[in-house]
């Protein structure tokens, strides 16, 4: 089975559901072995990958915990081909007014949304360098540029920091032909968003887009495939918004 894998391993964090699940399945379909790290088990995703003839592993752990990340790395390096693609997708987006945000809330968001990208990138840096065409994709959000966002100060700050991290790493790792980019979704109709965001707010969001339908996870796959393609080696330090042309500034 492993001999069928032609594009190396793609690591996807937060692949148990939502965008991460769709990304993992798409990258498997395009010839990558898939290594998934999530607090929840990714068995449903793994079943779908294997049903379609793909290869992967699901590791339950915290992407913001150094010990979990290093145990994950050991399993990936033991069982799968070298990592060429890293998708830092795991994230949390609690809605809390700034005045009620405790320092612990703040740190939790920074840990999950930012520390995880730091840890995963360091864990697989050797593989990414050796591959000669390493690709890192970080999930930020167009809320960073939005002036109508409330109750998300920690989230927006973490996603803005991820843009800085992306650009700094792109500068530093370009010498190894590693590209580092962000995908910036607007609202994507994942089960989590459909549960937490009111129909009224979703409708208001849709109205402000140029494209009058809201994105589903599958609408972001082409952006990911473009950024991880071996032929996109000159595309780095960018933020690719996928938000239906929503006007935010
Ligand atoms: N859905 C949207 O509208 C939207 C918009 C902009 C940006 N994003 C970003 O895209 C990414 C994916 O979003 P989604 O809507 O699919 O999220 P989601 O909440 O549906 O899924 C996130 C996954 O990450 C996992 N996870 C959370 N904390 C983790 C941790 N510490 N370690 C390992 N796994 C962890 C969860 O268990 C879950 O499976 C996130 O970074 C999010 O901020 C999403």
């Amino acid at each position: 089975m492993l001999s069928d894998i032609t594009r190396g391993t793609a690591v996807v964090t937060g692949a148990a559901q939502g965008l991460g699940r769709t990304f993992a399945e798409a990258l498997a379909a395009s010839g990558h072995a898939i290594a998934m790290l999530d607090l929840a088990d990714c068995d449903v995703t793994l079943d779908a990958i294997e049903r379609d003839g793909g290869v992967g592993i699901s590791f339950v752990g915290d992407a913001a915990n150094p010990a979990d990340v290093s145990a994950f790395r050991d399993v990936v390096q033991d069982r799968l081909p070298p990592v060429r693609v890293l998708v830092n997708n795991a994230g949390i987006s609690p809605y809390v007014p700034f005045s009620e945000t405790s320092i612990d809330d703040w740190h939790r968001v920074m840990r999950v949304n930012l520390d995880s990208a730091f840890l995963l990138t360091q864990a697989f840096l050797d593989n990414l360098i050796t591959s000669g065409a390493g690709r890192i994709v970080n999930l930020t959000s167009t809320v960073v540029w939005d002036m109508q966002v409330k109750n998300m100060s920690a989230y927006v700050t973490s996603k803005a920091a991820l843009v800085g991290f992306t650009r700094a790493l792109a500068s530093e790792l370009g010498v190894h032909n590693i590209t580092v980019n962000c995908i910036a979704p607007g609202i994507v109709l994942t089960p989590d968003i459909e549960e937490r965001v009111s129909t009224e707010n979703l409708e208001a969001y849709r109205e402000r887009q140029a494209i009058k339908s809201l994105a589903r996870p599958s609408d972001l796959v082409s952006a990911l495939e473009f950024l991880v393609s071996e032929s996109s080696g000159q595309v780095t330090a960018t933020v690719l918004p996928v938000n239906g042309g929503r006007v935010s500034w």
Side-chain angles (χ1 to χ4, degrees):
M1 183 67 85
L2 283 183
S3 60
D4 293 342
I5 300 301
T6 53
R7 299 180 74 193
T9 293
V11 170
V12 183
T13 62
Q17 63 175 47
L19 281 167
R21 178 179 171 184
T22 300
F23 287 160
E25 291 179 15
L27 290 173
S30 63
H32 302 86
I34 305 298
M36 299 177 281
L37 171 65
D38 198 303
L39 289 175
D41 77 54
C42 296
D43 290 353
V44 174
T45 315
L46 187 57
D47 284 350
I49 289 171
E50 290 179 343
R51 229 184 1 257
D52 286 347
V55 174
I57 59 164
S58 160
F59 189 97
V60 175
D62 182 350
N65 178 305
D68 286 4
V69 171
S70 106
F72 172 62
R73 182 206 48 217
D74 291 349
V75 171
V76 173
Q77 293 190 335
D78 193 42
R79 294 190 29 203
L80 295 177
V83 171
R84 188 187 69 83
V85 173
L86 168 61
V87 185
N88 287 311
N89 168 80
I92 51 173
S93 53
Y95 304 135
V96 189
F98 177 68
S99 60
E100 294 168 24
T101 301
S102 70
I103 190 67
D104 287 345
D105 296 336
W106 178 268
H107 284 153
R108 180 165 164 264
V109 173
M110 298 306 157
R111 273 176 19 79
V112 177
N113 293 359
L114 198 53
D115 292 11
S116 61
F118 168 87
L119 290 171
L120 268 295
T121 305
Q122 284 215 331
F124 292 105
L125 190 55
D126 286 352
N127 274 195
L128 292 163
I129 290 173
T130 305
S131 79
R135 302 282 180 261
I136 302 172
V137 179
N138 298 319
L139 268 291
T140 182
S141 169
T142 49
V143 293
V144 172
W145 296 272
D146 198 327
M147 286 311 296
Q148 301 199 18
V149 175
K150 295 181 184 62
N151 305 330
M152 299 185 83
S153 58
Y155 178 76
V156 174
T157 305
S158 70
K159 293 298 185 183
L162 214 41
V163 175
F165 178 67
T166 297
R167 293 176 59 83
L169 272 193
S171 291
E172 197 166 327
L173 302 182
V175 68
H176 303 294
N177 290 322
I178 297 173
T179 68
V180 194
N181 293 288
C182 284
I183 293 176
I187 282 264
V188 185
L189 289 174
T190 57
D192 175 62
I193 289 289
E194 290 191 277
E195 193 183 304
R196 289 195 300 148
V197 181
S198 69
T199 310
E200 189 188 0
N201 282 347
L202 288 176
E203 182 57 20
Y205 200 100
R206 190 185 67 79
E207 271 303 312
R208 289 173 60 207
Q209 292 190 176
I211 303 296
K212 300 297 179 192
S213 59
L214 294 176
R216 298 199 170 272
S218 56
D219 292 313
L220 284 92
V221 165
S222 57
L224 180 68
E225 285 286 11
F226 166 64
L227 292 175
V228 306
S229 164
E230 292 85 341
S231 60
S232 295
Q234 290 288 328
V235 181
T236 195
T238 64
V239 176
L240 180 49
V242 185
N243 67 347
R246 177 176 172 169
V247 177
S248 332
W249 60 83

